[in-house]
């Protein structure tokens, strides 16, 4: 089967779909990735055929004046403006890359362009999400509206899913309409009708309800781990092997309005909590110089996270899964979009303190959360037990099994 995976996302957002692509290829399928050019190096390293989408996602995030720090609504407004200029071109590029496909797949980013292309080619599109998209429940809040007050109860939580769906698709609505007209197809899509929906996270973290309308498969996370020959940098090995607790801090692709201020905050928190920190600078532009802080551009999560005492991160879906799998407490500092949701799940499971919104992050608050994570024996036990369960799951294999059961191509 010829599978085209569409991943219009940041580097971290592409990684789960890269893992899925490798699994499908290993199972004998013909796979092609469609993703922004920033993901080219990792896709080529995985030896997957690749078609690049034009434009530099990292440059856009850096030039957006750290919009994620100003919350979800601001992030959505900027995304809407950006997608207006990109979506038609990306849809045409996706169409060129997908000719001959038997099936297309992807999450929300992939659906923005991929569903129209699937309709144009008259092939199915299998939704593959890393958030509980399209799975309303009274048991957990919607992925974009996690701050449902307790008094709102089950009704409020279910309503937050409706609000999430509206907020999720509104920025792309006009662009999708324009791109469908450009492809010569109508406004109504049939590509996803009757197709299964995959969720690349664990049922132990989000219990997605069953659906009578479409099969829902919660497979476990789709991890793309480091190659076996990856070597730990000597300075990082020395830091991890030293005395005293080491905490990982990283905010992925979330750019900082003032990297210098954020760096000073991390240094002050390290001193207040009496810990050493490995700071993953990512796209944040952080450059910290202090004896307690070792700055690394990036380190494979599967190699770093199991060796630290706690993990401070932004709450991206993939990073959250990697942190939980490591079996140590997480401290989530959400910026926007689905990150508050994952922070709320970490707290609800008792495997990390309450999330600290980026706007409220101070050195004192971060140091207090680190102290709590290091000192709470119950939290550490729960984190270790959950990590053991997640390490026993094989989300990629389960997802590949769903593809193997799809009807033969039209």
């Amino acid at each position: 089967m010829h599978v085209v995976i569409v991943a219009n996302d940041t580097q971290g957002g592409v990684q789960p779909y890269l893992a899925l692509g490798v699994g499908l290829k290993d199972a004998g399928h013909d796979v092609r990735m469609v993703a922004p050019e920033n993901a080219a190096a990792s896709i080529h390293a995985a030896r997957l055929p690749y078609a690049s989408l034009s434009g530099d996602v990292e440059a856009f995030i850096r030039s957006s004046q750290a919009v994620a720090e100003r919350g979800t609504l601001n992030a959505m407004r900027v995304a809407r403006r950006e997608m207006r200029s990109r979506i038609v071109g990306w849809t045409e590029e996706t169409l060129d890359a997908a000719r001959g496909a038997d099936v297309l797949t992807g999450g929300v980013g992939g659906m923005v362009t991929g569903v129209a292309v699937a309709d144009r080619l008259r092939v199915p599109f299998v939704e593959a999400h890393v958030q509980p998209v399209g799975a309303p429940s009274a048991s957990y809040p919607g992925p974009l509206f996690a701050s449902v007050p307790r008094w709102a109860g089950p009704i409020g939580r279910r309503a937050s899913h409706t609000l999430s769906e509206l907020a999720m698709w509104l920025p792309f609505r006009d662009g999708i309409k324009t791109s469908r007209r450009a492809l010569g197809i109508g406004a109504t899509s049939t590509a996803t009708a009757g197709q299964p929906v995959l969720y690349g996270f664990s049922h132990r973290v989000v219990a997605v309800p069953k659906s009578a309308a479409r099969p829902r498969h919660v497979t476990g996370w789709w991890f793309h781990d480091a190659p076996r020959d990856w070597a730990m940098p000597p300075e990082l090995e020395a830091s991890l092997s030293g005395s005293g607790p080491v905490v990982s801090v990283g905010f992925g692709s979330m750019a900082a309005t003032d990297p210098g201020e954020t760096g000073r905050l991390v240094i002050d928190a390290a001193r207040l909590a009496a810990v050493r920190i490995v700071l993953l600078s990512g796209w944040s532009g952080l450059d910290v110089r202090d004896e307690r802080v070792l700055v690394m551009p990036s380190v494979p999560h599967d190699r770093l996270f199991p060796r630290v005492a706690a993990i401070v991160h932004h709450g991206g879906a993939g990073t959250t899964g990697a942190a939980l799998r490591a079996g140590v407490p997480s401290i989530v500092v959400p910026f926007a979009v689905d990150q508050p949701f994952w922070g709320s799940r970490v707290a609800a499971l008792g495997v990390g303190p309450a999330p600290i919104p980026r706007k409220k992050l101070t050195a004192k608050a971060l140091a207090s959360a680190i102290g709590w994570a290091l000192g709470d024996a119950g939290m550490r036990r729960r984190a270790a037990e959950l990590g053991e369960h997640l390490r026993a799951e094989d989300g990629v294999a389960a997802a590949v099994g769903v593809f193997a059961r799809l009807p033969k191509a039209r």
Side-chain angles (χ1 to χ4, degrees):
M1 183 165 57
H2 182 185
V3 183
V4 171
I5 302 173
V6 190
N8 307 334
D9 213 322
T10 63
Q11 178 69 21
V14 170
Q15 291 301 300
Y17 299 100
L18 179 56
L20 180 59
V22 171
L24 287 166
K25 178 186 175 184
D26 290 345
H29 298 289
D30 180 13
V31 179
R32 171 171 285 185
M33 294 284 298
V34 180
E37 60 187 32
N38 305 86
S42 59
I43 296 173
H44 286 315
R47 298 181 179 178
L48 286 179
Y50 166 61
S52 173
L53 297 173
S54 57
D56 189 328
V57 174
E58 180 175 356
F60 161 64
I61 289 176
R62 289 187 182 279
S63 67
S64 66
Q65 300 179 343
V67 65
E69 286 192 331
R70 301 197 295 274
T72 296
L73 293 179
N74 278 294
M76 288 297 182
R77 278 194 287 268
V78 172
R80 183 181 185 184
R81 185 173 67 243
E82 181 70 11
M83 288 306 294
R84 279 176 174 171
S85 65
R86 292 183 184 270
I87 191 168
V88 174
W90 277 9
T91 301
E92 291 174 348
E93 291 167 355
T94 302
L95 176 61
D96 288 340
R99 295 189 189 279
D102 295 314
V103 61
L104 276 72
T105 189
V108 172
M111 291 178 70
V112 168
T113 59
V115 171
V117 169
D119 282 319
R120 175 67 176 78
L121 297 175
R122 298 183 179 181
V123 299
F125 188 102
V126 174
E127 295 182 44
H129 297 295
V130 293
Q131 304 90 7
V133 175
S137 172
S139 300
Y140 54 83
L144 297 189
F145 285 88
S147 300
V148 180
R150 184 171 296 180
W151 57 262
I155 294 175
R157 286 191 291 274
R158 184 171 285 277
S160 72
H161 286 268
T162 301
L163 293 174
S164 289
E165 291 290 326
L166 290 172
M168 191 174 299
W169 295 111
L170 184 60
F172 311 121
R173 185 178 60 187
D174 293 343
I176 291 173
K177 287 181 179 179
T178 302
S179 63
R180 291 184 72 89
R181 284 196 298 268
L183 295 183
I185 55 178
T188 301
S189 174
T190 60
T192 62
Q195 300 301 322
V197 185
L198 278 65
Y199 293 100
F201 47 78
S202 175
H203 69 94
R204 296 180 181 275
V205 179
V206 184
V208 169
K210 293 185 180 299
S211 169
R214 296 171 65 188
R216 294 173 177 165
H217 302 272
V218 182
T219 63
W221 263 277
W222 306 324
F223 293 117
H224 183 62
D225 290 337
R228 293 181 180 179
D229 60 354
W230 185 86
M232 186 79 72
E235 65 274 25
L236 178 56
E237 180 62 46
S239 180
L240 295 173
S241 300
S243 61
V246 179
V247 174
S248 171
V249 176
F251 302 126
S253 59
M254 298 296 102
T257 304
D258 185 348
E261 183 274 336
T262 304
R264 290 188 293 274
L265 186 156
V266 170
I267 292 172
D268 291 343
R271 290 176 176 168
L272 288 170
V275 298
R276 289 177 293 112
I277 283 177
V278 174
L279 179 61
L280 305 178
S281 57
W283 292 1
S284 65
L286 296 175
D287 185 15
V288 177
R289 302 181 187 279
D290 186 85
E291 61 182 6
R292 287 188 175 272
V293 181
L294 174 65
V295 180
M296 303 292 296
S298 66
V299 180
H301 291 163
D302 60 303
R303 300 301 179 88
L304 174 63
F305 285 177
R307 297 191 59 185
V308 298
I311 303 159
V312 180
H313 60 90
H314 61 299
T319 305
T320 299
L324 295 177
R325 182 176 65 158
V328 298
S330 284
I331 300 161
V332 181
V333 181
F335 287 59
V337 199
D338 63 328
Q339 297 162 11
F341 170 81
W342 291 111
S344 74
R345 296 309 302 150
V346 167
L349 292 166
V351 295
I356 309 171
R358 178 61 185 91
K359 292 180 179 179
K360 297 183 178 180
L361 183 66
T362 64
K364 185 176 180 181
L366 181 56
S368 176
I370 290 172
W372 185 4
L374 297 183
D376 188 324
M379 180 182 294
R380 300 192 69 79
R381 184 189 70 253
R382 289 188 293 272
E385 291 173 350
L386 179 59
E388 185 176 358
H389 287 301
L390 297 188
R391 290 191 295 275
E393 296 179 354
D394 190 339
V396 169
V400 169
V402 175
F403 279 91
R405 295 191 296 274
L406 290 176
K408 291 188 180 296
R410 304 176 199 175

